[in-house]
């Protein structure tokens, strides 16, 4: 550390400030940042940079504040600055991070570090406020001398006698790690509660101040949950009795890299990922981020990860839930926003990263939506901080087959950066196509070895950058004969669907009915009538009602439930088909692409049970083989098939190829599949790259439209992606300023999913709208309001109000971007009446049992 014989005259720059409200001197802020850096794990250890060298660059991140345009922007401080010899220079304004980068580059170029290496280090510093703009002017002579003195102070504190830094072998890997580290250290050190800690008051001696700052930094890093516990893995303890897939992974020496696990539903792919992550702990990978398709599936897996993984292995570590509404489920109140005290700081963006939801992308254990991980591969403000958070832990993406070409393009770019940063990735899927698998293997950097469309199934594929991919085979724990019975003419027929459902559970049994739209799910639920135990589950419930319904579904139909009913009907949309470990006796589903039908079938007779529904530890399922009923459009072979609203959810081409497989050879009974043997054949036939010559014009036209759409989606994603990583340069974004859905900045916003964005609405009494529209509310009230929020389709919003009907109001402050809807109470729900453009009445209704309806539908 600092040489005790080295002294510095602080008189030349002690009046320079870093924070004005409350006041904090610049030299102390730089030492605070150094202290935080040394407390955090060294992000460049694998690249041969010592902790002290990293900390020096972190400390210099704000040296550019020693400049007239920054120091004289607060009038109340100018007089003392001029008296101390720091005049107004008349220089044009220049962002301080650019000036910091310019100073650092000059110093490094004069040392042994090459020009390109110095540029990369400077670019990391420029990014610490989320901008990548280059270019900076010179500072005045007095300020340049102060910058030199600040450098000497930091070097003395760190006992660095020269600026001899190792050359960079991989600029992108170095840059992403350092840029994220600088931001996080700066934000912690900039927090008002940090630098106003009582321990730091009353001393102007650098050595004493720095020692105390180290102590404060230790406490902050611990409290924020940013220190990852180290230790050996306990792979053999994850599953007491491993299934064949899990045992194959236990027995194999799999290096950290990309691992794609393909296996049927219910084979324990999630636990297999945990086993692999445990094995990689010996390589320094401590923790995971589990990325799921939806908030509902994230909520479900979160408790399993905590209870069945961390606690089971005796780890007293927090598992954070990570998605846009996760803070509603956090028992703690939202934390106070950090006050940086620096004019022009985007305090809102900084504060967001210190809330549990965003900070969870930096902690050891997180479970959340895939969107949070995808943002790490996108050109968004502080996206590099997400990559920094993923470094040195394992990324697991479940249901990877479920994403369209737009999302898949983003995931492939994310895989490129994960490969660059040596972040191991595990992809889980029951129904991955060969084309999808090949694209992901290539993105991670394997040179060859894709097993192709004829590969064995189940299969584990291992890809390491620069090497040929390899595979590991394991038998499925059980073989199943799946019957897909078709019902022509029932697609879209709510009455007939309800009648068929009641027929299946006439005596006993639990049936799941999956519809492709919320409207049809509500129609079938209503057609079931009274006198039958039933529940409706879809996305258009309030946050608190959806959480309640999700918990009820798991309690009734989960693997180990003690509350499984003898007879029950669950009517649901796609929310039930992915990553939920639920088990039904019967299933009815509207037609969907074959891979999704197979996915849905995994919720039928998923676990071996007795004829009475009791869970069995081993043996055959006494309920028999799985059987699902698929609702098809009416077809006579002459008129074009009409899939109705389902074609708005899924594309016509995979619906046609699925229909063809279900009705092959004019079969009236549907399709019988031997699983797992038929998985590959069915999936590849659904998404075939080429059609036989005898294919009809209708199918050829649908295929051409499908191909054009895939190209268009990938091209649209390209607008939002980071640049590809490069060994010899760190230039990930091209210097444009962008934002994501959580940023308040200007410019276009990167989106993780295409499609119309739902409108978030909070129903309130008219007087409450007027009282709370500015959003100046206590956090507890904000939480209560968001739990009552519901999403409304954007094509029904905003409604036009009737005469004398209160208008919806767009919220501000803590309710920014949310519509406040003045409603009247109707029993357990609410109602709003408006006027359509054609003059007809239009209503929006909400019921705790049915959810949201609109357009006058009850």
């Amino acid at each position: 550390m600092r040489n005790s014989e080295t002294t510095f005259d602080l008189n030349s720059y002690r009046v320079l400030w870093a924070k004005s409200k409350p006041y904090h001197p610049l030299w102390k802020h730089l030492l605070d940042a150094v202290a935080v850096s040394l407390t955090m794990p060294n992000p460049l250890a694998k690249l041969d940079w010592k902790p002290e060298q990293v900390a020096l660059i972190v400390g210099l991140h704000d040296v550019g504040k020693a400049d007239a345009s920054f120091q004289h922007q607060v009038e109340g401080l100018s007089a003392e600055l001029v008296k101390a010899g720091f005049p107004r220079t008349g220089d044009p304004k220049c962002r301080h991070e650019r000036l910091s980068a310019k100073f650092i580059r000059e110093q490094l170029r004069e040392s042994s570090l090459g020009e390109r290496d110095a540029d990369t280090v400077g670019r990391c510093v420029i990014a610490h406020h989320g901008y990548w703009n280059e270019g900076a002017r010179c500072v005045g002579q007095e300020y340049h001398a102060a910058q030199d003195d600040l450098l000497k102070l930091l070097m003395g504190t760190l006992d660095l006698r020269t600026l001899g830094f190792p050359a960079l072998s991989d600029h992108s890997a170095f840059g992403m790690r350092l840029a994220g580290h600088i931001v996080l250290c700066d934000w912690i050190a900039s927090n008002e509660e940090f630098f106003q800690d009582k321990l730091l008051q009353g001393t102007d001696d650098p050595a004493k101040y720095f020692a105390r700052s180290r102590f404060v930094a230790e406490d902050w890093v611990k409290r924020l949950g940013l220190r990852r516990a180290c230790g050996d893995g306990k792979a053999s303890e994850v599953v007491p009795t491993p299934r064949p897939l899990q045992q194959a992974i236990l027995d194999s020496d799999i290096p950290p890299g990309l691992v794609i696990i393909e296996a049927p539903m219910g084979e324990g792919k999630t636990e297999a990922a945990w086993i692999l992550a445990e094995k990689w702990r010996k390589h320094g990978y401590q923790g995971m981020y589990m990325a799921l398709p939806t908030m509902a599936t994230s909520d479900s897996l979160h408790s399993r990860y905590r209870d069945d993984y961390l606690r089971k292995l005796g780890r007293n570590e927090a598992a954070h839930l990570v998605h846009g509404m996760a803070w509603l489920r956090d028992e703690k109140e939202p934390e106070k926003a950090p006050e940086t005290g620096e004019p022009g700081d985007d305090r809102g963006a900084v504060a967001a990263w210190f809330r549990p939801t965003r900070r969870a992308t930096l902690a050891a254990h997180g479970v959340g939506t895939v969107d949070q991980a995808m943002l790490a591969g996108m050109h968004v403000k502080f996206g590099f901080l997400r990559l920094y958070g993923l470094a040195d832990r394992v990324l697991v993406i479940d249901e990877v087959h479920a994403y369209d070409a737009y999302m898949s393009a983003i995931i492939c770019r994310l895989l490129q950066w994960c490969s660059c940063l040596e972040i191991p990735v595990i992809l889980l899927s029951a129904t991955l196509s060969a084309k999808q698998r090949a694209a992901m293997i290539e993105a991670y950097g394997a040179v060859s070895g894709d097993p192709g469309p004829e590969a064995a199934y189940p299969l584990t594929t291992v890809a390491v950058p620069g090497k040929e991919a390899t595979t590991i085979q394991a038998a499925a724990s059980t073989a199943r004969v799946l019957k897909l019975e078709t019902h022509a003419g029932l697609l879209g027929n709510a009455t007939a669907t309800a009648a068929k459902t009641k027929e299946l559970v006439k005596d006993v049994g639990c049936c799941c009915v999956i519809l492709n739209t919320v409207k049809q799910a509500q129609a079938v639920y209503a057609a079931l009538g009274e006198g039958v135990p039933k529940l409706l589950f879809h996305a258009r419930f309030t946050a608190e009602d959806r959480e309640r319904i999700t918990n009820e579904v798991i309690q009734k139909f989960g693997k180990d439930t003690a509350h499984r009913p003898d007879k029950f009907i669950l009517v649901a949309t796609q929310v039930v088909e992915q990553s939920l470990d639920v088990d039904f006796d019967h299933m009815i589903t509207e037609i969907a692409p074959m891979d999704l039908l197979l996915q849905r079938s995994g919720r039928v007779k998923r676990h071996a049970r007795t004829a009475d529904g009791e869970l069995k530890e081993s043996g055959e399922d006494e309920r028999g083989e799985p059987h699902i009923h698929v609702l098809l459009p009416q077809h006579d072979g002459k008129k074009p098939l009409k899939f109705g609203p389902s074609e708005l959810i899924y594309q016509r081409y995979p619906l046609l190829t699925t229909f063809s497989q279900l009705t092959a050879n004019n079969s009236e009974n549907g399709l019988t599949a031997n699983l797992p043997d038929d998985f590959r054949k069915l999936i590849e036939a659904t998404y075939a790259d080429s059609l036989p010559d005898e294919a009809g014009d209708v199918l050829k036209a649908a295929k051409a439209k499908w191909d054009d759409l895939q190209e268009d989606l990938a091209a649209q994603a390209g607008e939002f992606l980071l640049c590809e990583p490069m060994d010899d340069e760190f230039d990930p974004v091209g210097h444009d300023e962008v934002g994501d859905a959580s940023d308040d900045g200007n410019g276009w916003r990167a989106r993780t999913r295409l499609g119309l964005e739902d409108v978030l609405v909070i129903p309130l009494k008219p007087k409450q709208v007027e009282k709370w529209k500015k959003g100046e509310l206590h956090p507890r009230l904000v939480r209560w309001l968001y739990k009552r929020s519901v999403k409304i389709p954007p094509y029904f919003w905003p409604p036009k109000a009737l005469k004398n009907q209160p208008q919806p109001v767009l919220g501000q402050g803590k309710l920014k971007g949310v519509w406040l809807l003045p409603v009247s109470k109707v029993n357990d729900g609410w109602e709003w009446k408006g006027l359509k453009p054609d003059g007809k009445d239009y209503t929006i209704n909400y019921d705790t049992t049915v959810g949201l309806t609109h357009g006058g539908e009850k």
Side-chain angles (χ1 to χ4, degrees):
M1 304 309 296
R2 179 182 182 272
N3 188 328
S4 60
E5 297 180 358
T6 304
T7 59
F8 296 95
D9 178 10
L10 297 181
N11 291 327
S12 63
Y13 60 84
R14 68 184 308 152
V15 296
L16 299 179
W17 57 273
K19 315 293 177 186
S20 62
K21 190 189 297 183
Y23 183 85
H24 194 50
L26 178 58
W27 69 270
K28 288 186 177 182
H29 174 60
L30 301 190
L31 288 179
D32 289 340
V34 169
V36 176
S37 178
L38 292 175
T39 304
M40 299 285 290
N42 178 10
L44 303 179
K46 294 181 179 179
L47 299 171
D48 300 325
W49 274 50
K50 297 177 181 178
E52 293 78 14
Q53 294 172 320
V54 176
L56 177 63
I57 302 301
V58 171
L60 291 173
H61 77 284
D62 268 355
V63 73
K65 288 182 177 179
D67 174 67
S69 67
F70 183 92
Q71 291 296 314
H72 288 282
Q73 64 183 311
V74 178
E75 286 298 327
L77 301 175
S78 289
E80 187 176 356
L81 287 165
V82 172
K83 186 187 297 184
F86 292 100
R88 296 178 182 270
T89 62
D91 291 332
K93 288 185 177 181
C94 183
R95 291 194 61 91
H96 68 267
E97 63 267 26
R98 296 195 207 174
L99 297 174
S100 296
K102 184 176 187 298
F103 175 80
I104 292 170
R105 283 169 167 157
E106 290 172 350
Q107 298 298 321
L108 295 179
R109 287 167 182 164
E110 293 176 4
S111 69
S112 59
L113 205 61
E115 182 170 343
R116 182 165 290 185
D117 291 2
D119 285 344
T120 290
V121 175
R123 189 161 291 145
C124 296
V125 173
I126 287 175
H128 83 265
H129 277 283
Y131 306 105
W132 296 84
N133 311 69
E134 299 280 356
R137 55 165 172 74
C138 295
V139 301
Q141 180 180 353
E142 299 85 356
Y143 297 96
H144 194 282
Q147 291 179 353
D148 285 337
D149 287 343
L150 288 167
L151 171 62
K152 293 174 184 177
L153 170 64
L154 297 186
M155 290 183 67
T157 301
L158 291 165
D159 199 20
L160 289 173
R161 303 184 183 280
T162 65
L163 292 177
F165 292 88
L168 309 188
S169 57
D170 188 327
H171 285 247
S172 288
F174 176 96
M176 277 299 180
R177 286 177 176 267
L178 181 58
H181 186 71
I182 291 172
V183 167
L184 189 56
C185 293
D186 177 37
W187 284 354
I188 294 173
S190 295
N191 195 296
E192 177 182 330
E193 295 180 18
F194 183 106
F195 65 79
Q196 286 211 304
D197 191 289
K198 291 181 180 179
L199 190 64
L200 299 181
Q201 309 308 309
T203 178
D204 284 333
D205 177 79
K208 291 180 180 179
Y209 182 87
F210 182 66
R212 295 179 181 182
S213 185
R214 287 289 300 269
F215 186 85
V216 175
E218 288 276 356
D219 179 61
W220 269 74
V221 171
K222 180 179 179 181
R223 283 196 291 120
L224 289 171
L226 301 178
R227 179 165 292 158
R228 300 175 185 176
C230 297
D232 295 331
K234 302 177 181 179
S236 61
E237 298 180 24
V238 174
V239 181
T241 307
R243 296 184 179 186
L245 167 70
Q246 299 161 349
Q247 189 63 55
I249 289 177
L250 276 168
D251 294 341
S252 302
D253 184 15
I254 301 175
L258 174 68
V259 177
I260 305 174
I261 300 176
E262 300 172 79
M265 299 71 66
E267 285 293 319
K269 294 186 291 294
T270 297
E271 291 79 3
W274 295 348
I275 289 171
L276 196 49
E278 283 296 296
K279 297 183 74 170
W280 286 342
R281 285 174 70 88
K282 67 181 180 182
H283 297 284
Y285 295 100
Q286 310 291 331
M288 270 182 280
Y289 180 72
M290 304 275 313
L292 284 299
T294 65
M295 289 190 289
T297 54
S298 304
D299 293 341
S300 175
L301 185 61
H302 176 246
S303 59
R304 282 181 58 201
Y305 186 90
R306 179 193 61 213
D307 298 335
D308 298 345
Y309 175 53
L310 290 178
R311 292 182 181 175
K312 181 179 179 180
L313 298 186
R315 296 207 182 101
N316 187 26
E317 300 176 56
H320 298 270
L321 184 62
V322 195
H323 58 64
M325 302 297 283
W327 63 279
L328 293 178
R329 295 158 177 79
D330 194 331
E331 295 179 357
K332 298 179 180 179
E333 295 298 328
E335 298 178 24
K336 179 183 177 182
E339 295 292 341
T340 65
E342 178 183 317
D345 268 8
D346 185 355
R347 301 183 183 184
V350 176
W353 279 97
F354 280 91
R355 296 188 187 110
T357 297
R358 298 289 288 275
R359 196 171 69 230
T361 61
L362 304 171
H365 302 283
V367 179
T369 55
V370 69
D371 309 73
Q372 300 293 328
M374 289 167 61
L375 288 169
M378 302 178 74
H379 182 179
V380 298
K381 197 171 184 179
F382 298 121
F384 57 86
L385 193 56
R386 296 176 185 271
L387 276 172
Y388 170 79
L390 289 174
D392 302 322
R393 62 174 172 167
V394 180
L395 171 62
V396 182
I397 303 179
D398 197 7
E399 310 287 7
V400 72
H401 62 274
Y403 308 119
D404 63 17
Y406 178 88
M407 296 177 71
S408 295
I410 298 171
I411 290 172
C412 282
R413 183 56 51 85
L414 172 61
L415 290 177
Q416 288 182 302
W417 277 98
C418 286
S419 176
C420 169
L421 295 172
E422 299 183 12
I423 299 170
V425 182
I426 304 172
L427 306 178
L428 308 179
S429 176
T431 56
L432 191 68
S433 71
K435 185 175 182 180
Q436 288 174 305
R437 182 184 58 232
M440 292 170 184
I441 291 173
E442 180 182 359
Y444 202 77
V447 293
S448 61
D450 172 60
E454 304 297 327
Y457 186 93
L459 188 71
T460 297
T461 305
V462 180
V464 176
K467 297 183 179 180
E468 184 175 340
T470 59
T471 60
I472 301 168
Q473 297 182 24
S477 59
T478 59
R480 292 154 53 102
V481 178
L482 172 65
K483 175 67 177 178
L484 297 96
E485 182 178 342
T486 58
H487 300 272
L490 264 65
L491 181 66
N493 189 329
T495 302
T497 300
K500 181 63 182 177
T501 304
K502 289 192 285 188
E503 177 188 328
L504 290 175
V505 298
K506 180 174 59 175
D507 299 319
V508 69
C510 299
C511 181
C512 180
V513 187
I514 302 182
L515 293 311
N516 293 335
T517 66
V518 171
K519 182 177 179 180
Q520 186 64 7
Q522 291 170 330
V524 171
Y525 182 83
L528 286 170
E530 303 298 327
V532 56
K534 59 181 181 177
L535 182 66
L536 184 59
F537 185 26
H538 57 70
R540 300 209 187 282
F541 283 99
T542 64
E544 62 181 350
D545 283 340
R546 181 162 175 174
E547 182 178 7
R548 169 183 55 80
I549 295 169
T550 301
N551 291 335
E552 186 175 351
V553 168
I554 295 171
Q555 288 169 5
K556 279 183 165 63
F557 310 112
K559 178 180 178 180
D560 300 314
T561 181
H563 307 285
R564 186 177 179 86
D566 294 330
K567 180 177 179 179
F568 204 93
I569 297 172
L570 176 68
V571 181
T573 57
Q574 297 89 338
V575 294
V576 79
E577 78 183 21
Q578 295 174 337
S579 300
L580 287 180
D581 190 1
V582 288
D583 183 9
F584 300 92
D585 305 305
H586 311 284
M587 176 174 286
I588 296 177
T589 171
E590 292 189 308
I591 186 173
M594 180 61 75
D595 55 326
L596 299 182
L597 292 181
L598 293 173
Q599 190 74 30
R600 294 174 183 183
S601 76
R603 273 70 193 162
V604 181
K605 300 176 182 176
R606 183 181 181 93
H607 302 293
R609 297 183 184 275
T610 66
D612 295 331
E614 295 295 325
L615 189 67
K616 298 176 62 177
E617 292 185 4
S618 61
E620 298 290 330
D621 193 326
E622 296 178 14
R623 297 172 295 172
E625 297 288 357
H627 188 142
I628 68 173
H629 301 264
V630 185
L631 310 182
L632 301 183
Q634 191 65 50
H635 57 95
D636 57 10
K638 298 177 182 179
K639 296 181 180 179
L641 286 168
K642 295 183 179 179
F643 295 103
S646 294
E647 200 167 326
L648 301 176
I649 309 299
Y650 308 110
Q651 292 299 311
R652 187 168 179 79
Y653 174 63
L655 288 176
L656 286 172
T657 55
T658 299
F659 179 89
S660 178
Q661 294 180 80
L662 291 171
T663 59
N665 302 318
N666 298 316
S667 171
E668 295 181 1
N669 298 319
L671 171 70
T672 299
N674 294 306
L675 304 180
D677 294 346
D678 289 342
F679 263 98
R680 290 241 188 268
K681 178 180 69 175
L682 294 171
I683 295 166
E684 295 304 325
T686 304
Y687 299 101
D689 268 343
S690 58
L691 296 176
D693 294 337
E694 62 271 19
D697 292 340
V698 172
L699 185 59
K700 289 180 179 178
K703 176 66 164 60
K705 185 177 180 180
W706 166 265
D707 290 341
D708 289 344
L709 177 64
Q710 304 315 296
E711 291 183 11
D712 181 59
L713 290 175
Q716 289 186 62
E719 298 179 14
F720 303 103
L721 298 179
L722 291 176
C723 301
E724 293 185 13
M726 296 178 286
D727 290 345
D728 59 352
E729 187 176 0
F730 178 55
D731 187 14
V733 299
H735 316 310
D736 294 321
E737 298 176 14
V738 300
D740 62 30
S742 64
D743 291 328
D744 296 328
N746 297 322
W748 54 258
R749 295 186 174 191
R751 296 171 60 186
T752 53
R753 307 183 190 223
L754 289 184
L756 297 174
E757 293 187 40
D758 288 340
V759 178
L760 196 63
V761 169
I762 297 176
L764 295 171
K765 296 178 181 179
K767 290 183 179 179
Q768 292 173 328
V769 172
E770 276 306 305
K771 184 177 179 181
W772 297 338
K773 64 183 179 182
K774 292 185 178 181
E776 298 170 355
L777 307 171
H778 189 278
R780 217 167 353 214
L781 180 55
V782 174
R783 183 188 301 272
W784 180 78
L785 290 173
Y786 268 91
K787 283 188 174 183
R788 300 178 71 238
S789 67
V790 65
K791 293 180 178 179
I792 291 182
Y795 38 86
F796 290 106
W797 193 266
K800 293 185 177 181
L802 289 168
K803 189 176 182 180
N804 299 324
Q805 174 72 27
Q807 289 273 14
V809 175
L810 190 60
Q812 303 174 38
K814 294 178 181 177
L815 299 178
K816 183 177 181 180
V818 182
W819 284 91
L820 309 181
L821 187 66
V823 301
S824 56
K825 296 292 291 183
V826 180
N827 298 325
D828 292 329
W830 47 262
E831 180 179 74
W832 188 91
K833 290 184 178 181
L835 189 67
K836 289 184 178 180
D838 59 7
K840 295 181 179 179
D841 287 352
Y842 169 63
T843 61
I844 301 173
N845 302 281
Y846 184 81
D847 180 87
T848 56
T849 301
V850 177
L852 184 83
T853 56
H854 46 77
E857 303 165 358
K858 292 287 186 181

